[in-house]
Amino acid sequence: MALEVTQILLNAQSPDGAVRKVAEENLKQFQEQNLAAFLISLSHELANNDKPPESRKLAGLILKNSLDAKEAPRKAELVQRWISLEPAVKTQIKASLLQTLSSLTSDARHTSAQVIAKIAAIELPLSEWQELVGNLLANMGGPNVEQPAHLKQATLETLGYVCEEVSAEVLAQEQVNSILTAVVQGMNSTETSNDVRLAATRALYNALDFAQTNFENNMERDYIMRVVCEATLSPEPKVRQAAFECLVSISSTYYDKLSVYMQDIFAITSKAVKEDDEPVALQAIEFWSSICDEEIEIQDEYSGDFTGDSEVPYFRFIKQALPALVPMLLETLTKQEEDQDQEEGAWNLAMAGGTCLGLVARTVGDDVVPLVMPFVQENVSKPDWRCREAATYAFGSILEGPSLEKLTPLVNVALNFMLNAMKDENNHVKDTTAWTLGRIFEFLHGPSVNNPVITQANLPLILAVLLESIKDAPNVAEKVCGAIYFLAQGYEETGVTSSPLSPFFQGIVQALLATTVREDAGDSRLRSSAYETLNEVVRCSTEDTAPIVMQLVPVIMQKLNSTLEMQILSSDDREKQSELQALLCGVLQVIIQKLGASETTKYGVVQYADQMMSLFLRVFACRSATVHEEAMLAIGALAYATGVEFGKYMQEFYRYLEMGLQNFEEYQVCAVTVGVVGDICRALDDKVLPFCDGIMTQLLKDLSSNQLHRSVKPPIFSCFGDIALAIGEHFEKYLIYAMPMLQGAAELSAMQTIRDDEMVDYNNQLRSGIFEAYSGIFQGFKNSKAELMVPYAGHILQFIENVYQDKDRDDVVTKAAIGVMGDLADTMGVNAAVLFRRSVFYKDFLDECTSSDDQQLKETAQWAQVTINRIIAA
Amino acid sequence: MAPSKIEPRVHKRVLSDQQRRRDLALQRQQECRRNLQLHARRLAAGLSSGGEENEGGDEDVVEAEEFEESYEVEGEGGGGESSSTKEDLKDLGLRQGTRLKGAKAREWFSKQLMLPEWMIDIPPRLKTDWYVMSRPAGVRCVVVSSNGTTVSRQRNGRVLHHFPSALPNGARTRDVSCASSVFCILDCIFHEPDKTYYVLDLMCWRGYSLYDCNTEFRFFWMNSKLAETDALKPASQYHRYRFSVLPVYECDVGGLQAAYSAPVPFTRDGIIFINRHAHYVLGSTPLSLLWKDSICSEYPVDTDSKGNVPQYQQVVLVLGDDGSLATSDDPPVVLGTMPRQFLEQHDQHLKPGTCLRFNVGDQGLRIVDGKPLFADIHFQGGAGRNKIADTSNKILYQYAARRDPLTISNLVAAVESTDDEGDFSMTG
């Protein structure tokens, strides 16, 4: 059955495009003609030690790709295809794969390990291939059988991948026990092969999630921890790194079991941070960052109230380690790399140390300050730039966490120093200083801060420095943008007509615009940051600067227009154009929303509506997903601002609206478009009717598609409500399609039994969406078509009851549910009286909501109560 | 070589505004949707206030365009007369009503208040079903804010004040003026000494009718919505009179005593009981009750124009076509007849529809089933142009006040006794 595929596989990797194409075509044909033979041939190729490594590797990769895919629907299809193969075929393939693990060609072993794990992911949950774990463990040898190191290495790698692929409940505890035993033996210091030790350590990383039971057992846990700690001392750096990665994972998975090991772990990590290779030291620091994450989460969860009742203990490891931990971290700060600030994605010891210090500050608050400030004071003026930068970074890192009382006096002293430091001769020092200024504005400035560090007196100097430094090197300028962003944000206050920033508004806007056109604005994300800062500055602007915001409209439109004339010769050009359009559409969206929100400034947008719309349509014509989304968002804001006038753009805009609704792959785009449909319904009201057939068709298709990301479904239901409310009785014709969808979704959500947080959130969103749909439909039918809802009313009330009984129901869904109950009574009138008379729960639900502290919920519930009482009394 | 599984952390975090823009857009959309739903629901709350037979029209909400042409109505039905006009006026929705002018407006407004009955006996479930509040001495009026101005009208429909206020659309200032569709109707007592409108009730807020909502809801709405405006703030150039919300108490012993005697910034003139399930009905209703004694009111018993308590109880009755003398009840209760001869003598002054004042003589009232059937009345003269005939309920209250009044201890006892009801248990 197997065919000779070596040459085709080699050809498929040929540098000659034509050869490659033919080979790919051949493979495709073979696969379509006889899948079983195709897969067997590939597995034989992979297993055959006489074949070239290149063809073996590709055979393995194709095998792997025929078992798994990123997209869920494709993946399901592949899984189904594998399951329906003849058992004999599958057995033959699996045997070849296992055999490959003993090959001397490491690539072949490695690929085979991956393929085995993919098959295991399909078969183990179906209780098939039960012998796999046993087969693999046999490869590890025993007291009297010594197996070759390369086989043990490949086997451990396979075990690791299997653990990564399958979920914990799939393996029986005995299987877990034997896997862990094999893995821990492989990690042991008595193991002579570094390759085996490394594979074992990496396998343990994947197997940790399975070890819940073993971690409950003191002896087993002690043993695992000892082996891991010993592995951090291995002569092989990769083993040490992998061992620290295990510790990081243990710190979050088994925080509650760590107490007795912390002393040792501190010694190990601090040795690694001081002496070891950077990749190892980074993981050692990551261990402490991860402990901080855990303790911050515990504090959040219990809001500082540790009564001892909680399930997760709070050990205050960080607070206990503080006197030793902080000096260790401070020491890393002077180990900067040259040019680290210009390099995107750079990550080194100094960065990791500073980041960890920031987390420590968030974990322990005030206690960190006296340990850090002497370092800051000692180093911030030293001639060596590394010292100055490290001191500034340390200071900036602790600005989040400690109390304002503790920080304010320090920042009051430091602020002038920082402003001066923006003239430092060293780029890194300026970069970190600007970042620190941004953190000062983010955490110590704002309407809720009692003793603001920014005053009328120092604001002019602050702005003078920022607007000068924004001309500095791109990485520094980018941090300055961030500082301006938070400076503006701190002045955001609703209901005021002027802001302390108003006198400087024009200057800030000009400086940001000038930044966007710098030659080097493409570096360090400078252009994006400048535009995004402009957005925030506009959002936080007040009435007195509205004229300047209005003047910005033609300026940004002009810029958007010039992107349409850019010369596009390569995909790189295309990407640049699309990025720029996204940024500019973003700015316009923010301006439209800002000016459109007030009657007095709305004309500033409306007068340009025609031109803006025509620009957005031309941007759509360039076809790029990200632009599509930003332009779509801007159009939603425009519809909101123009109201019914938006109708004149609908003919032309409609096709893009439809395109957006069809974008399954980029679900954000689809979601944004669904939101815009809502905007348009509210703007056009019943004038949206001519477009509703198309829109509803598309929305119904979206709902039926299993390709669409589930997060888009709740907004689609809400959108039904928007449409129904806009077109009223005309929604009748969609009722026979929409109601079964709504009922189906409601039933499905009522049956939902999985109780993880994510699922609970999603279920609440879904239900809110369903209720919003019902509300819109009821309200829309109230005047003329109430009788259409008679067949559905019982079901809807039942659904409300199900949701009422659900202990995981959140505030949003509660509000929506009580609203629908009132809408049902209000629309159906006496027709619904009998339903309510028969129902018991609704009174309790009303009682619960009318006694709520949430004003809006209370109002809605009281309204519902009055409405229901009225129909029952009638 | 497999790289580290652990992702590096974000260093010196860079801004990301895109998600923020998405979130803010979503927030705006949700807010708009919510507003629209609330709008639909408030709209709905007003819909059936026209009564069961008045299907589906949204009469109660004034549409913008319609308000523009507001004052044209004057001319239309100008010449109409008597009963047919009255019917028309009665059926006018708020939309039309609030835009009437002149005599028609007076007639319409004279019927826009809920009038409490006098408390003659104590209703059951006083403690559980009623609220109690102090009643300020002053001029009862309907206050309407619309089209950038505010007008208060007395019970007879006459304008008391025409003034700018901080009620929605109550002045032509940027803060409060809004779409012309926005208007409010409040039930108030104007208390002259501190120039304050004490708000008793709220019938319409920003165009949404509350007539059909129960007291509980109206009061909640009244308190929360007024607090959102500047109307409760001291008087100023564009807010000539302060508004003040009266404290409303549960009708338990504490509440009753607070309404009865707690210090208030105004002259107290009795206390008002209102049933918490009652809708705002126009005209007299037994679901709102007024009670006074000499401690909580300067005038527990009717006085003459000089403030003296006359020797005899006085009643005002309306003269019918056939000389009958009737109360203003619906249907009217006839308490006596004017001698034909006397009428003929004074036919220039005693036209049907005129209100006349009488003394109640020593033989008093004949009361059957709690209703007066006949009175020993003695003609005193005309009651004055703007007087309205008394209701039989008022006559009965005044009658009782002079003889065997309901006292505060009766009220306290009633409330206390209902206090115990909950503890009662069956032992049989």
PDB file of all heavy atoms in Angstrom, chain A residues 245 286 293 431-432 536 629-630 679 722 823 826, chain B residues 4 9 12 20-22 28-29 33 41 44 47 220:
ATOM      1  N   GLU A 245      12.419  26.963  34.994  1.00  0.00           N
ATOM      2  CA  GLU A 245      11.089  27.101  34.394  1.00  0.00           C
ATOM      3  C   GLU A 245      10.074  26.230  35.138  1.00  0.00           C
ATOM      4  O   GLU A 245       8.938  26.622  35.345  1.00  0.00           O
ATOM      5  CB  GLU A 245      11.136  26.776  32.901  1.00  0.00           C
ATOM      6  CG  GLU A 245      11.819  27.896  32.118  1.00  0.00           C
ATOM      7  CD  GLU A 245      12.005  27.590  30.635  1.00  0.00           C
ATOM      8  OE1 GLU A 245      11.489  26.551  30.178  1.00  0.00           O
ATOM      9  OE2 GLU A 245      12.650  28.390  29.956  1.00  0.00           O
ATOM     10  N   GLU A 286      12.184  35.452  37.212  1.00  0.00           N
ATOM     11  CA  GLU A 286      10.789  35.206  36.864  1.00  0.00           C
ATOM     12  C   GLU A 286      10.075  34.444  37.981  1.00  0.00           C
ATOM     13  O   GLU A 286       8.875  34.643  38.210  1.00  0.00           O
ATOM     14  CB  GLU A 286      10.709  34.428  35.531  1.00  0.00           C
ATOM     15  CG  GLU A 286       9.298  34.130  35.039  1.00  0.00           C
ATOM     16  CD  GLU A 286       8.451  35.366  34.793  1.00  0.00           C
ATOM     17  OE1 GLU A 286       9.023  36.439  34.484  1.00  0.00           O
ATOM     18  OE2 GLU A 286       7.223  35.278  34.939  1.00  0.00           O
ATOM     19  N   ASP A 293       2.890  37.851  41.344  1.00  0.00           N
ATOM     20  CA  ASP A 293       1.598  37.720  40.654  1.00  0.00           C
ATOM     21  C   ASP A 293       0.597  36.996  41.541  1.00  0.00           C
ATOM     22  O   ASP A 293      -0.554  37.417  41.687  1.00  0.00           O
ATOM     23  CB  ASP A 293       1.752  36.904  39.359  1.00  0.00           C
ATOM     24  CG  ASP A 293       2.453  37.694  38.260  1.00  0.00           C
ATOM     25  OD1 ASP A 293       2.534  38.930  38.382  1.00  0.00           O
ATOM     26  OD2 ASP A 293       2.915  37.066  37.293  1.00  0.00           O
ATOM     27  N   ASP A 431      15.416  58.159  28.463  1.00  0.00           N
ATOM     28  CA  ASP A 431      14.313  57.227  28.180  1.00  0.00           C
ATOM     29  C   ASP A 431      13.620  56.833  29.489  1.00  0.00           C
ATOM     30  O   ASP A 431      12.394  56.950  29.633  1.00  0.00           O
ATOM     31  CB  ASP A 431      14.898  55.989  27.475  1.00  0.00           C
ATOM     32  CG  ASP A 431      13.841  54.987  27.053  1.00  0.00           C
ATOM     33  OD1 ASP A 431      13.201  54.398  27.946  1.00  0.00           O
ATOM     34  OD2 ASP A 431      13.640  54.792  25.840  1.00  0.00           O
ATOM     35  N   THR A 432      14.427  56.399  30.452  1.00  0.00           N
ATOM     36  CA  THR A 432      13.860  55.934  31.721  1.00  0.00           C
ATOM     37  C   THR A 432      13.272  57.103  32.522  1.00  0.00           C
ATOM     38  O   THR A 432      12.264  56.944  33.205  1.00  0.00           O
ATOM     39  CB  THR A 432      14.936  55.196  32.530  1.00  0.00           C
ATOM     40  OG1 THR A 432      15.414  54.110  31.731  1.00  0.00           O
ATOM     41  CG2 THR A 432      14.385  54.647  33.831  1.00  0.00           C
ATOM     42  N   GLU A 536      -5.922  60.754  23.369  1.00  0.00           N
ATOM     43  CA  GLU A 536      -6.232  60.936  24.788  1.00  0.00           C
ATOM     44  C   GLU A 536      -6.359  62.419  25.116  1.00  0.00           C
ATOM     45  O   GLU A 536      -7.234  62.821  25.886  1.00  0.00           O
ATOM     46  CB  GLU A 536      -5.159  60.264  25.648  1.00  0.00           C
ATOM     47  CG  GLU A 536      -5.479  60.202  27.134  1.00  0.00           C
ATOM     48  CD  GLU A 536      -6.684  59.341  27.468  1.00  0.00           C
ATOM     49  OE1 GLU A 536      -7.214  58.657  26.576  1.00  0.00           O
ATOM     50  OE2 GLU A 536      -7.115  59.376  28.643  1.00  0.00           O
ATOM     51  N   GLU A 629     -11.395  47.942  10.183  1.00  0.00           N
ATOM     52  CA  GLU A 629     -11.964  48.015  11.523  1.00  0.00           C
ATOM     53  C   GLU A 629     -11.993  49.448  12.046  1.00  0.00           C
ATOM     54  O   GLU A 629     -13.005  49.914  12.572  1.00  0.00           O
ATOM     55  CB  GLU A 629     -11.162  47.125  12.474  1.00  0.00           C
ATOM     56  CG  GLU A 629     -11.746  47.158  13.860  1.00  0.00           C
ATOM     57  CD  GLU A 629     -10.928  46.377  14.873  1.00  0.00           C
ATOM     58  OE1 GLU A 629     -10.057  45.603  14.486  1.00  0.00           O
ATOM     59  OE2 GLU A 629     -11.177  46.579  16.072  1.00  0.00           O
ATOM     60  N   GLU A 630     -10.884  50.161  11.904  1.00  0.00           N
ATOM     61  CA  GLU A 630     -10.826  51.519  12.434  1.00  0.00           C
ATOM     62  C   GLU A 630     -11.781  52.445  11.682  1.00  0.00           C
ATOM     63  O   GLU A 630     -12.436  53.292  12.289  1.00  0.00           O
ATOM     64  CB  GLU A 630      -9.393  52.061  12.360  1.00  0.00           C
ATOM     65  CG  GLU A 630      -8.428  51.371  13.297  1.00  0.00           C
ATOM     66  CD  GLU A 630      -8.622  51.771  14.760  1.00  0.00           C
ATOM     67  OE1 GLU A 630      -9.395  52.710  15.039  1.00  0.00           O
ATOM     68  OE2 GLU A 630      -7.992  51.142  15.627  1.00  0.00           O
ATOM     69  N   ASP A 679     -25.512  51.316  15.792  1.00  0.00           N
ATOM     70  CA  ASP A 679     -25.421  52.780  15.669  1.00  0.00           C
ATOM     71  C   ASP A 679     -26.340  53.280  14.548  1.00  0.00           C
ATOM     72  O   ASP A 679     -27.032  54.280  14.686  1.00  0.00           O
ATOM     73  CB  ASP A 679     -23.981  53.192  15.320  1.00  0.00           C
ATOM     74  CG  ASP A 679     -23.087  53.205  16.547  1.00  0.00           C
ATOM     75  OD1 ASP A 679     -23.593  53.510  17.645  1.00  0.00           O
ATOM     76  OD2 ASP A 679     -21.884  52.926  16.399  1.00  0.00           O
ATOM     77  N   ASP A 722     -31.770  46.069  18.461  1.00  0.00           N
ATOM     78  CA  ASP A 722     -31.625  47.406  17.878  1.00  0.00           C
ATOM     79  C   ASP A 722     -32.472  47.531  16.621  1.00  0.00           C
ATOM     80  O   ASP A 722     -33.142  48.537  16.397  1.00  0.00           O
ATOM     81  CB  ASP A 722     -30.154  47.679  17.524  1.00  0.00           C
ATOM     82  CG  ASP A 722     -29.258  47.679  18.756  1.00  0.00           C
ATOM     83  OD1 ASP A 722     -29.774  47.897  19.871  1.00  0.00           O
ATOM     84  OD2 ASP A 722     -28.040  47.467  18.593  1.00  0.00           O
ATOM     85  N   ASP A 823     -41.149  44.597  29.790  1.00  0.00           N
ATOM     86  CA  ASP A 823     -41.510  44.790  28.388  1.00  0.00           C
ATOM     87  C   ASP A 823     -42.575  43.781  27.970  1.00  0.00           C
ATOM     88  O   ASP A 823     -43.502  44.113  27.229  1.00  0.00           O
ATOM     89  CB  ASP A 823     -40.276  44.620  27.487  1.00  0.00           C
ATOM     90  CG  ASP A 823     -39.263  45.739  27.689  1.00  0.00           C
ATOM     91  OD1 ASP A 823     -39.684  46.874  27.971  1.00  0.00           O
ATOM     92  OD2 ASP A 823     -38.058  45.472  27.560  1.00  0.00           O
ATOM     93  N   ASP A 826     -45.758  44.889  29.422  1.00  0.00           N
ATOM     94  CA  ASP A 826     -46.181  46.150  28.840  1.00  0.00           C
ATOM     95  C   ASP A 826     -46.727  45.950  27.434  1.00  0.00           C
ATOM     96  O   ASP A 826     -47.756  46.508  27.052  1.00  0.00           O
ATOM     97  CB  ASP A 826     -44.981  47.087  28.828  1.00  0.00           C
ATOM     98  CG  ASP A 826     -45.388  48.492  28.463  1.00  0.00           C
ATOM     99  OD1 ASP A 826     -46.440  48.938  28.944  1.00  0.00           O
ATOM    100  OD2 ASP A 826     -44.665  49.131  27.682  1.00  0.00           O
TER     101      ASP A 826
ATOM    102  N   SER B   4      12.385  29.049  25.572  1.00  0.00           N
ATOM    103  CA  SER B   4      11.693  29.079  26.852  1.00  0.00           C
ATOM    104  C   SER B   4      10.184  29.141  26.645  1.00  0.00           C
ATOM    105  O   SER B   4       9.695  29.810  25.755  1.00  0.00           O
ATOM    106  CB  SER B   4      12.136  30.311  27.634  1.00  0.00           C
ATOM    107  OG  SER B   4      11.265  30.500  28.719  1.00  0.00           O
ATOM    108  N   ARG B   9       8.104  39.385  30.112  1.00  0.00           N
ATOM    109  CA  ARG B   9       7.060  40.338  30.501  1.00  0.00           C
ATOM    110  C   ARG B   9       7.171  41.616  29.691  1.00  0.00           C
ATOM    111  O   ARG B   9       8.181  41.852  29.045  1.00  0.00           O
ATOM    112  CB  ARG B   9       7.197  40.642  31.988  1.00  0.00           C
ATOM    113  CG  ARG B   9       6.798  39.457  32.822  1.00  0.00           C
ATOM    114  CD  ARG B   9       7.170  39.603  34.261  1.00  0.00           C
ATOM    115  NE  ARG B   9       6.842  38.379  34.957  1.00  0.00           N
ATOM    116  CZ  ARG B   9       5.674  38.182  35.615  1.00  0.00           C
ATOM    117  NH1 ARG B   9       4.786  39.141  35.682  1.00  0.00           N
ATOM    118  NH2 ARG B   9       5.432  37.033  36.201  1.00  0.00           N
ATOM    119  N   LYS B  12       8.511  48.443  30.431  1.00  0.00           N
ATOM    120  CA  LYS B  12       8.140  49.848  30.218  1.00  0.00           C
ATOM    121  C   LYS B  12       6.951  49.926  29.266  1.00  0.00           C
ATOM    122  O   LYS B  12       7.050  50.467  28.173  1.00  0.00           O
ATOM    123  CB  LYS B  12       9.325  50.619  29.626  1.00  0.00           C
ATOM    124  CG  LYS B  12      10.465  50.822  30.590  1.00  0.00           C
ATOM    125  CD  LYS B  12      11.466  51.789  29.977  1.00  0.00           C
ATOM    126  CE  LYS B  12      12.739  51.893  30.804  1.00  0.00           C
ATOM    127  NZ  LYS B  12      13.772  52.680  30.112  1.00  0.00           N
ATOM    128  N   ARG B  20      -8.703  50.445  23.646  1.00  0.00           N
ATOM    129  CA  ARG B  20      -9.430  51.505  24.354  1.00  0.00           C
ATOM    130  C   ARG B  20     -10.496  52.097  23.445  1.00  0.00           C
ATOM    131  O   ARG B  20     -11.620  52.350  23.869  1.00  0.00           O
ATOM    132  CB  ARG B  20      -8.396  52.558  24.783  1.00  0.00           C
ATOM    133  CG  ARG B  20      -8.945  53.702  25.568  1.00  0.00           C
ATOM    134  CD  ARG B  20      -8.313  53.809  26.961  1.00  0.00           C
ATOM    135  NE  ARG B  20      -9.132  54.677  27.796  1.00  0.00           N
ATOM    136  CZ  ARG B  20      -8.883  55.979  27.939  1.00  0.00           C
ATOM    137  NH1 ARG B  20      -7.847  56.533  27.350  1.00  0.00           N
ATOM    138  NH2 ARG B  20      -9.687  56.719  28.685  1.00  0.00           N
ATOM    139  N   ARG B  21     -10.131  52.329  22.183  1.00  0.00           N
ATOM    140  CA  ARG B  21     -11.110  52.906  21.250  1.00  0.00           C
ATOM    141  C   ARG B  21     -12.282  51.959  21.052  1.00  0.00           C
ATOM    142  O   ARG B  21     -13.428  52.370  21.044  1.00  0.00           O
ATOM    143  CB  ARG B  21     -10.447  53.206  19.902  1.00  0.00           C
ATOM    144  CG  ARG B  21      -9.592  54.457  19.914  1.00  0.00           C
ATOM    145  CD  ARG B  21      -9.315  54.950  18.497  1.00  0.00           C
ATOM    146  NE  ARG B  21      -8.515  54.028  17.709  1.00  0.00           N
ATOM    147  CZ  ARG B  21      -7.185  53.927  17.786  1.00  0.00           C
ATOM    148  NH1 ARG B  21      -6.514  54.668  18.638  1.00  0.00           N
ATOM    149  NH2 ARG B  21      -6.541  53.082  17.021  1.00  0.00           N
ATOM    150  N   ARG B  22     -11.953  50.665  20.908  1.00  0.00           N
ATOM    151  CA  ARG B  22     -13.022  49.667  20.766  1.00  0.00           C
ATOM    152  C   ARG B  22     -13.938  49.700  21.978  1.00  0.00           C
ATOM    153  O   ARG B  22     -15.153  49.749  21.860  1.00  0.00           O
ATOM    154  CB  ARG B  22     -12.417  48.268  20.690  1.00  0.00           C
ATOM    155  CG  ARG B  22     -12.052  47.823  19.331  1.00  0.00           C
ATOM    156  CD  ARG B  22     -11.582  46.369  19.432  1.00  0.00           C
ATOM    157  NE  ARG B  22     -10.701  46.067  18.330  1.00  0.00           N
ATOM    158  CZ  ARG B  22      -9.559  45.395  18.427  1.00  0.00           C
ATOM    159  NH1 ARG B  22      -9.141  44.951  19.593  1.00  0.00           N
ATOM    160  NH2 ARG B  22      -8.817  45.157  17.376  1.00  0.00           N
ATOM    161  N   ARG B  28     -20.223  53.478  24.366  1.00  0.00           N
ATOM    162  CA  ARG B  28     -21.155  54.471  23.834  1.00  0.00           C
ATOM    163  C   ARG B  28     -22.398  53.768  23.274  1.00  0.00           C
ATOM    164  O   ARG B  28     -23.526  54.168  23.525  1.00  0.00           O
ATOM    165  CB  ARG B  28     -20.485  55.292  22.724  1.00  0.00           C
ATOM    166  CG  ARG B  28     -21.319  56.478  22.290  1.00  0.00           C
ATOM    167  CD  ARG B  28     -20.933  56.940  20.879  1.00  0.00           C
ATOM    168  NE  ARG B  28     -21.359  55.990  19.879  1.00  0.00           N
ATOM    169  CZ  ARG B  28     -20.589  55.512  18.924  1.00  0.00           C
ATOM    170  NH1 ARG B  28     -19.339  55.872  18.821  1.00  0.00           N
ATOM    171  NH2 ARG B  28     -21.066  54.641  18.054  1.00  0.00           N
ATOM    172  N   GLN B  29     -22.140  52.664  22.534  1.00  0.00           N
ATOM    173  CA  GLN B  29     -23.271  51.970  21.920  1.00  0.00           C
ATOM    174  C   GLN B  29     -24.200  51.393  22.981  1.00  0.00           C
ATOM    175  O   GLN B  29     -25.420  51.481  22.860  1.00  0.00           O
ATOM    176  CB  GLN B  29     -22.752  50.854  21.009  1.00  0.00           C
ATOM    177  CG  GLN B  29     -22.148  51.410  19.735  1.00  0.00           C
ATOM    178  CD  GLN B  29     -21.229  50.417  19.039  1.00  0.00           C
ATOM    179  OE1 GLN B  29     -20.900  49.364  19.579  1.00  0.00           O
ATOM    180  NE2 GLN B  29     -20.806  50.754  17.839  1.00  0.00           N
ATOM    181  N   ARG B  33     -28.101  52.332  23.591  1.00  0.00           N
ATOM    182  CA  ARG B  33     -29.134  51.299  23.569  1.00  0.00           C
ATOM    183  C   ARG B  33     -29.954  51.360  24.855  1.00  0.00           C
ATOM    184  O   ARG B  33     -31.174  51.312  24.833  1.00  0.00           O
ATOM    185  CB  ARG B  33     -28.492  49.924  23.408  1.00  0.00           C
ATOM    186  CG  ARG B  33     -29.501  48.786  23.429  1.00  0.00           C
ATOM    187  CD  ARG B  33     -28.823  47.452  23.284  1.00  0.00           C
ATOM    188  NE  ARG B  33     -28.122  47.331  22.015  1.00  0.00           N
ATOM    189  CZ  ARG B  33     -26.864  46.920  21.901  1.00  0.00           C
ATOM    190  NH1 ARG B  33     -26.179  46.599  22.963  1.00  0.00           N
ATOM    191  NH2 ARG B  33     -26.302  46.830  20.716  1.00  0.00           N
ATOM    192  N   ARG B  41     -39.478  52.514  27.631  1.00  0.00           N
ATOM    193  CA  ARG B  41     -40.222  52.060  28.806  1.00  0.00           C
ATOM    194  C   ARG B  41     -40.931  53.214  29.495  1.00  0.00           C
ATOM    195  O   ARG B  41     -42.066  53.091  29.924  1.00  0.00           O
ATOM    196  CB  ARG B  41     -39.284  51.353  29.780  1.00  0.00           C
ATOM    197  CG  ARG B  41     -38.925  49.982  29.266  1.00  0.00           C
ATOM    198  CD  ARG B  41     -37.827  49.343  30.055  1.00  0.00           C
ATOM    199  NE  ARG B  41     -37.416  48.121  29.341  1.00  0.00           N
ATOM    200  CZ  ARG B  41     -36.242  47.568  29.464  1.00  0.00           C
ATOM    201  NH1 ARG B  41     -35.343  48.095  30.259  1.00  0.00           N
ATOM    202  NH2 ARG B  41     -35.950  46.487  28.785  1.00  0.00           N
ATOM    203  N   ALA B  44     -43.740  54.008  27.568  1.00  0.00           N
ATOM    204  CA  ALA B  44     -44.764  53.006  27.797  1.00  0.00           C
ATOM    205  C   ALA B  44     -45.511  53.296  29.084  1.00  0.00           C
ATOM    206  O   ALA B  44     -46.713  53.168  29.155  1.00  0.00           O
ATOM    207  CB  ALA B  44     -44.128  51.622  27.876  1.00  0.00           C
ATOM    208  N   LEU B  47     -48.348  55.487  28.489  1.00  0.00           N
ATOM    209  CA  LEU B  47     -49.298  55.198  27.432  1.00  0.00           C
ATOM    210  C   LEU B  47     -50.721  54.997  27.885  1.00  0.00           C
ATOM    211  O   LEU B  47     -51.640  55.529  27.296  1.00  0.00           O
ATOM    212  CB  LEU B  47     -48.841  53.958  26.665  1.00  0.00           C
ATOM    213  CG  LEU B  47     -47.715  54.256  25.685  1.00  0.00           C
ATOM    214  CD1 LEU B  47     -47.374  53.011  24.918  1.00  0.00           C
ATOM    215  CD2 LEU B  47     -48.134  55.357  24.731  1.00  0.00           C
ATOM    216  N   PHE B 220     -40.272  58.036  44.616  1.00  0.00           N
ATOM    217  CA  PHE B 220     -38.882  57.670  44.351  1.00  0.00           C
ATOM    218  C   PHE B 220     -38.339  58.501  43.184  1.00  0.00           C
ATOM    219  O   PHE B 220     -37.259  59.063  43.220  1.00  0.00           O
ATOM    220  CB  PHE B 220     -38.819  56.177  44.034  1.00  0.00           C
ATOM    221  CG  PHE B 220     -37.596  55.762  43.275  1.00  0.00           C
ATOM    222  CD1 PHE B 220     -36.361  55.763  43.896  1.00  0.00           C
ATOM    223  CD2 PHE B 220     -37.699  55.405  41.940  1.00  0.00           C
ATOM    224  CE1 PHE B 220     -35.237  55.401  43.182  1.00  0.00           C
ATOM    225  CE2 PHE B 220     -36.578  55.046  41.237  1.00  0.00           C
ATOM    226  CZ  PHE B 220     -35.347  55.045  41.855  1.00  0.00           C
TER     227      PHE B 220
END
